[in-house]
């Protein structure tokens, strides 16, 4: 079975973002970029499926600028077999990404598509579900456990009240939650080997998908600053402040 | 212009998040219809009909919708949604699961997790773990939206008298099935609805020590939350996690105990009205958002706090 994993190049999760002074967007110049943490978990899960003999080939896909090749190479170093970059310098919204991925799915015919549940830049949590709709595949979102059994996959999902398990006919889409696994690090020999693994570059035009704007970003602003607080010296003072000043208890 | 709200419910009663979505819909303006799709869910539909501001309830009662599986429910919502200007759901795990699938079936974008309505097509939403607020205008004919519950008041559960209309459409995609669920049991208020929350982090040391927080929680009528570090360390189950990837909360009082205050945790709680931090590291970033900070060993401070309440 072939597994397709998607990875997104995003701002490193430890970086505190700054909003541009003209409020047009956040400032991403000279900021450290990395693979979206949920995508790392998706790659790890695919590699584990391959190690368990369930997956035969792992294809990693990224969409975005030329530089997203770095994130594909990272996935290749972690154990993916080959990469596809759908290159575009335009702003690709979730629906467009899903349409492009649907074309890749059509070409590759994977048994399973594993994606992150959300990207930590846009915080949308949409692309996996949209791809599932466009390919008419079932979806196992927010997965904390994935078990492939024959032609079906059992996915345990993290839902608001606890956990829910669903069974999906394959091919299926799985989106990863944080608890699914602990991603490994790439070793130096594997990073070297990854440089020789095949990486195809395509464009939205090659895939026959028009990049269309469905939303318009009007402005980006920093969130309201909290008033500076005070340090209290004792538990007694804390309780007094909460009762008499903040009046919350 | 009319708005379709997808109710979240357990077939018996409405989940509170649905009421916040009704308020957001009221701010958008227009007739408000609520879809209650489930199995044996008449009671939930009746509850929706009495919510203030609701004009009509659509009841789709069919075994295919019992667990609100995205594959089945999205087809129903997309079919009904074509006649509406807005399709709205709370940004809960159910809403997040189903709505993007609906949007793709309608060939429109989704605006996720809105915190403000500026006009019928313009909304504000947090990005980058809440470190920036984007104002976004939807260019599509049908606006598919999920609503962050903590950003909107709950609509009154009484005062409405909407008619309940049955919807016959049964969509069973037949590609997925419900196997089972493990519901975390708790006698305390639900995390996302609690007015007071006390959360523990890695500093708690182990799961047993959470009993210290529970005792305080009982006195304050509070819910107990946790940081990702506490969940990952196995101290508590993951549905207690507050943060970018867990629950987003905005209680009147949030007490962070042994939590350093990473960006991802702050994303889930920094809209709380009053934040208290108890941490022995005075350099911990949590103190930069706390209204009241106490630099102390939690194992001394929390029992003392418990005694003084």
């Amino acid at each position: 079975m072939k597994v397709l994993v998607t990875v997104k190049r995003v701002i490193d999760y430890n970086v505190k973002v700054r909003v541009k002074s003209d409020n047009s967007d956040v400032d991403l110049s000279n900021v450290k970029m990395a693979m979206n943490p949920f995508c790392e978990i998706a790659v790890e899960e695919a590699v584990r499926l391959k190690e368990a003999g369930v997956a035969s080939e792992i294809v990693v896909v990224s969409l975005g600028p030329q530089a997203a090749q770095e994130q594909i190479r990272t996935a290749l170093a972690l154990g993916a077999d080959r990469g596809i970059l759908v290159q575009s310098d335009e702003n690709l919204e979730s629906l467009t990404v899903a349409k492009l991925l649907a074309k890749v799915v059509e070409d590759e015919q994977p048994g399973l598509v594993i994606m992150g549940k959300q990207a930590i830049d846009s915080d949308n949590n949409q692309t996996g579900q949209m791809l599932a709709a466009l390919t008419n595949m079932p979806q196992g979102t927010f997965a904390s456990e994935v078990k492939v059994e024959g032609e079906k996959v059992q996915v345990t999902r993290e839902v608001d009240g606890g956990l829910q398990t669903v069974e999906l006919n394959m091919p299926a889409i799985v989106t990863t939650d944080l608890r699914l696994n602990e991603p490994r690090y790439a070793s130096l020999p594997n990073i070297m080997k990854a440089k020789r693994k095949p990486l195809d570059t395509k464009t939205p035009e090659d895939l026959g998908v028009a990049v269309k704007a469905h939303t318009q970003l009007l402005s980006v602003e920093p969130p309201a600053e909290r008033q500076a607080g005070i340090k209290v010296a004792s538990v007694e003072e804390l309780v007094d402040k909460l009762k008499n000043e903040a009046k919350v208890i | 212009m009319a708005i379709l709200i997808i109710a979240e419910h357990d077939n018996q009663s409405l989940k509170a998040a649905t009421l916040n979505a009704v308020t957001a819909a009221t701010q958008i303006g227009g007739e408000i219809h609520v879809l209650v799709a489930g199995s044996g869910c008449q009671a939930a539909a009746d509850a929706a009909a009495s919510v203030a501001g609701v004009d009509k309830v659509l009841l789709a009662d069919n075994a295919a919708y019992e667990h609100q599986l995205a594959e089945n429910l999205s087809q129903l919502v997309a079919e009904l949604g074509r006649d509406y200007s807005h399709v709205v759901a709370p940004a809960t795990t159910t809403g997040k699961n189903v709505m993007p699938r609906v949007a793709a079936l309608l060939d429109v974008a989704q605006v996720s997790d809105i915190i403000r309505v500026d006009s019928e097509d313009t909304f504000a939403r947090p990005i980058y773990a809440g470190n920036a607020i984007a104002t976004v205008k939807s260019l599509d004919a049908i606006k598919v939206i999920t609503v962050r519950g903590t950003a909107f008041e709950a609509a009154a559960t009484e005062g409405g008298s909407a008619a309940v209309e049955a919807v016959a459409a049964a969509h069973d995609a037949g590609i997925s099935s419900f196997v089972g669920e493990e519901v975390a049991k708790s006698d305390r208020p639900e995390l996302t609805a609690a007015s007071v929350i006390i959360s523990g982090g890695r500093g708690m040391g182990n799961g047993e020590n959470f009993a210290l927080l529970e005792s305080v929680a009982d006195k304050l009528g509070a819910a107990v939350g946790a940081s990702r570090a506490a969940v990952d360390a196995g101290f508590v189950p993951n549905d207690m996690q507050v943060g970018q990837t867990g629950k987003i909360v905005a209680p009147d009082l949030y007490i962070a105990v042994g939590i350093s205050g990473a960006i991802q945790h702050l994303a889930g709680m920094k809209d709380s009205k009053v934040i208290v931090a108890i941490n022995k590291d005075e350099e911990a970033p949590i103190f930069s958002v706390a209204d009241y900070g106490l630099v102390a060993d939690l194992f001394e401070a929390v029992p003392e706090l418990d005694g003084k309440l």
Side-chain angles (χ1 to χ4, degrees), chain B residues 168-206:
Chain B
H171 292 279
D172 190 348
I175 50 177
S176 61
S177 57
F178 173 85
V179 176
E181 63 190 346
E182 230 178 279
V183 180
K185 284 203 179 68
S186 173
D187 300 329
R188 295 204 176 75
E190 202 191 334
L191 205 46
T192 52
S195 58
V196 181
I197 295 173
I198 181 161
S199 283
R202 200 195 301 273
M204 296 303 296
N206 60 46

Side-chain angles (χ1 to χ4, degrees), chain B residues 21-43:
Chain B
V22 171
T23 300
T26 312
Q27 293 179 10
I28 294 168
E31 202 167 304
I32 296 175
H33 298 180
V34 175
L35 170 68
V36 177
S39 178
C41 55
Q42 180 74 44

Side-chain angles (χ1 to χ4, degrees), chain A residues 90-139:
Chain A
E90 289 187 70
N91 170 38
L92 301 175
E93 294 179 35
S94 302
L95 184 60
T96 307
V97 170
K99 285 179 178 176
L100 290 164
L101 287 172
K103 293 290 181 186
V104 176
V105 166
E106 200 179 299
D107 290 346
E108 297 286 342
Q109 296 287 318
L112 209 53
V113 182
I114 311 181
M115 309 167 69
K117 81 163 177 182
Q118 75 189 59
I120 59 160
D121 50 1
S122 59
D123 279 335
N124 272 325
N125 194 331
Q126 299 174 357
T127 308
Q129 294 89 316
M130 287 180 161
L131 176 62
L134 298 176
T135 55
N136 198 28
M137 286 188 206
Q139 64 190 52

